[in-house]
Amino acid sequence: MGGRNRSSRNVLVVPQAKQALEQIKFEAAQELGVQIPQDGYYGNIATRDAGSLGGYITRRLVQLAEQQLSGANRQF
């Protein structure tokens, strides 16, 4: 398990969402001042930074889901 990239085991329920998720990740990293590794390996990122990044992404996804459920993003 050591240095393996574990993200390959993650499967998106909606594969078309991959680009949007990547965008949220980069926005979060930029806002938090966390450098996204070019090779995709997060093992060298400080635990605190990784936790902050994950927390930010989770909050943003919840916010988007709440907006969608409330109808705030509906276009007629």
Side-chain angles (χ1 to χ4, degrees):
M1 219 175 190
R4 269 189 5 197
N5 184 347
R6 299 178 74 179
S7 66
S8 63
R9 295 186 339 189
N10 293 335
V11 178
L12 295 176
V13 175
V14 181
Q16 298 85 351
K18 184 175 177 117
Q19 186 175 4
L21 291 170
E22 287 295 314
Q23 182 64 33
I24 290 171
K25 180 171 53 175
F26 285 109
E27 288 173 8
Q30 184 176 19
E31 186 167 319
L32 297 171
V34 175
Q35 184 68 28
I36 298 288
Q38 295 297 319
D39 62 1
Y41 176 67
Y42 287 82
N44 296 326
I45 290 183
T47 303
R48 181 181 196 123
D49 290 341
S52 295
L53 188 57
Y56 182 97
I57 291 169
T58 301
R59 282 189 298 280
R60 184 70 178 122
L61 291 173
V62 168
Q63 180 184 38
L64 290 170
E66 287 175 343
Q67 288 173 352
Q68 197 162 23
L69 288 171
S70 71
N73 285 340
R74 289 189 185 165
Q75 296 177 355
F76 294 99

